[in-house]
């Protein structure tokens, strides 16, 4: 039996991610079975330690290889904005959107200053490679678990666009009459982040949808959901 660990939106909280990684490793080593750790995206922006977050992810990947468990890194809309800004000009609308949505804090974590001239040179090649290699979803077919950053369109699922996977806050994702009409969603639970809960709590809707964005960068906890098929989720927090 596989045990899944899903980490919600981090948003530049490097030290707390490191602490959560340590808790996850301790938990994996204390129980039997195969483990898969899925990061749901939005590693950067808003918080002050985006560079530290990306390095923590790279270090955790190495640790997972040493200890023999799988780790998956999904792309969030904030990584999408980062890449748009990196690959565009300083005066493009994409760069302005990135800066407005917490990119300033990300660049300060890399440059050490609020002077962002030539900021692209401050991004280590291995960090840029990390951004470019992020995937948009992860299917655990056998367990009927679907991991994605933002959510799905229950009408078109599983043929959802990348924009939907990274950006959606469509209310229909929680309309289970719509879900029930789609054969592909029968028995499936969607695990996502992206939309912070106003009460800083996990949202677990009828076993269909698990939202793990508990608003860490707004004063909530950074949350990892532990999902074992046939059992209610449990949680680790920092």
């Amino acid at each position: 039996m596989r045990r899944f660990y899903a980490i919600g939106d981090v948003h530049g909280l490097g030290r707390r991610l490191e602490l959560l990684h340590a808790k996850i490793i301790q938990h994996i080593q204390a129980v039997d079975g195969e483990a898969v750790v899925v990061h749901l995206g939005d590693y950067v922006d808003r918080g002050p330690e985006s560079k530290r977050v990306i390095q923590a992810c790279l270090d955790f990947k190495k640790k997972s290889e040493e200890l023999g468990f799988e780790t998956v890194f999904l792309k969030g809309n904030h990584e999408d904005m980062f890449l748009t800004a990196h690959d565009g000009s300083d005066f493009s609308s994409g760069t302005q959107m990135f800066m407005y949505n917490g990119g300033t804090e990300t660049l300060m974590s890399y440059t050490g200053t609020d002077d962002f001239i030539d900021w692209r040179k401050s991004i280590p090649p291995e960090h840029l490679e990390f951004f470019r290699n992020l995937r948009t979803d992860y299917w655990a077919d056998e367990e009927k678990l679907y991991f994605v950053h933002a959510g799905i369109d229950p009408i078109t699922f599983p043929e959802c666009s990348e924009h939907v996977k990274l950006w959606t806050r469509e209310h229909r994702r929680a309309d289970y009459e719509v879900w029930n009409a789609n054969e592909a969603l029968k028995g499936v639970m969607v695990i996502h982040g992206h939309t912070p809960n106003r009460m800083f709590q996990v949202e677990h809707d009828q076993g269909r949808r698990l939202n793990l964005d508990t608003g860490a960068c707004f004063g909530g906890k950074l949350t990892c959901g532990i999902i074992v098929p046939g059992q209610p989720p449990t949680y680790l927090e920092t």
Side-chain angles (χ1 to χ4, degrees):
M1 179 180 294
R2 291 197 293 178
R3 179 177 282 100
F4 296 86
Y5 299 78
I7 300 173
D9 300 40
V10 181
H11 282 305
L13 300 177
R15 181 176 179 275
R16 285 169 67 180
L17 179 61
E18 291 167 355
L19 291 172
L20 190 57
H21 279 162
K23 285 188 174 186
I24 291 169
I25 289 173
Q26 184 179 31
H27 194 278
I28 289 172
Q29 292 179 319
V31 297
D32 293 327
E34 185 179 349
V36 181
V37 182
V38 183
H39 299 68
L40 295 172
D42 277 7
Y43 312 96
V44 299
D45 299 348
R46 298 195 173 124
E49 302 168 330
S50 289
K51 181 179 180 179
R52 184 171 178 174
V53 168
I54 302 304
Q55 189 58 51
C57 289
L58 293 172
D59 293 343
F60 187 74
K61 175 66 174 175
K62 291 178 182 177
K63 192 70 174 177
S64 73
E65 292 169 353
E66 293 172 7
L67 297 177
F69 62 87
E70 182 180 358
T71 189
V72 176
F73 298 99
L74 299 185
K75 185 179 185 180
N77 61 304
H78 283 262
E79 288 73 56
D80 190 44
M81 287 189 286
F82 172 88
L83 287 172
T84 298
H86 182 276
D87 296 343
S89 74
D90 287 342
F91 305 102
S92 69
S93 60
T95 298
Q96 297 307 308
M97 184 176 181
F98 165 64
M99 299 293 282
Y100 179 77
N101 284 282
T104 297
E105 290 86 346
T106 295
L107 297 192
M108 287 184 69
S109 78
Y110 277 100
T111 64
T113 177
D114 58 3
D115 181 357
F116 300 145
I117 295 175
D118 294 332
W119 65 267
R120 293 166 183 81
K121 295 179 181 178
S122 71
I123 311 298
E126 60 271 23
H127 286 213
L128 186 58
E129 182 181 11
F130 174 84
F131 282 101
R132 296 202 187 281
N133 288 337
L134 296 171
R135 53 195 297 176
T136 58
D137 59 11
Y138 176 76
W139 252 118
D141 294 345
E142 191 173 325
E143 295 86 357
K144 293 204 167 198
L145 300 174
Y146 182 73
F147 299 84
V148 66
H149 173 64
I152 64 167
D153 180 343
I155 294 176
T156 64
F157 182 86
E159 302 301 325
C160 299
S161 68
E162 180 170 316
H163 182 82
V164 165
K165 294 174 186 178
L166 299 184
W167 290 89
T168 189
R169 287 194 171 99
E170 173 57 62
H171 70 278
R172 290 182 304 179
R173 68 184 179 189
D175 182 342
Y176 295 118
E177 288 188 10
V178 176
W179 285 53
N180 291 338
N182 186 341
E183 289 290 326
L185 279 168
K186 282 195 173 179
V188 172
M189 183 161 72
V190 177
I191 298 98
H192 69 90
H194 182 60
T195 301
N197 179 274
R198 293 182 180 181
M199 301 300 293
F200 302 149
Q201 296 176 350
V202 170
E203 295 177 66
H204 186 203
D205 291 350
Q206 301 183 35
R208 293 292 192 93
R209 184 174 69 90
L210 184 64
N211 177 11
L212 291 168
D213 186 353
T214 47
C217 67
F218 300 117
K221 298 287 189 179
L222 179 60
T223 300
C224 170
I226 305 173
I227 303 110
V228 179
Q231 301 178 20
T234 56
Y235 305 98
L236 299 172
E237 297 177 330
T238 58

